[in-house]
Amino acid sequence: MKPFSPKPRQCKACPQTFVPVRPMQTVCSPRCAVKKVRQDKAEERAKVKTRKEKSLTPSQRRARAQVEVNAYVRLRDADLPCISCGRFHEGQWHAGHYRSRGAAINLALDPRNIHKQCQPCNTHLHGNAIAYRAGLVERYGLAFVEELEADNTPRHYTDADFDAIRDEYRAKTNQLKKERL
């Protein structure tokens, strides 16, 4: 076996060169060893995150986009009453769809079709569609509602589209939060 004859090396954590004491030594000091371990963990977390992002299905991406659109709508309509019953209350608020996601998937991510709705109207009354329509007519006018009801244009989203929608509405939500402070 050959004796260990160290040559100067570049530290993996800092720009300093050092002469190693052990054959597999890659860092110059214990402080740099801790720094290197943290860097390695951060790189591993980033790799895992990108793997998870790549493995998402279109329906998972749609669901993530829907969460951001709903959060935006609830914040956008925060000062308004329930679109269906017209009341304010201390309960839970939903982002209710006028045309349901099952009936009109093309409008599921369209904020014109989504408004703040109280939990009883959205859950117990299954969207309270008749009162919802009356509230839309009162708020926006009959032409708007008829245009929304007639919109059956298919929308084919790619994974990138879902991610762009999610990012767009996350940014809009953050902007609204800043404006309200």
Side-chain angles (χ1 to χ4, degrees), residues 90-102:
E90 293 299 319
Q92 187 180 30
W93 293 101
H94 292 185
H97 290 73
Y98 172 56
R99 294 185 62 199
S100 70
R101 292 188 295 176

Side-chain angles (χ1 to χ4, degrees), residues 117-138:
Q117 195 173 36
C118 65
Q119 187 266 339
C121 284
N122 196 29
T123 305
H124 302 303
L125 299 176
H126 305 287
N128 201 358
I130 295 169
Y132 198 136
R133 187 177 197 279
L136 284 176
V137 169
E138 182 181 323

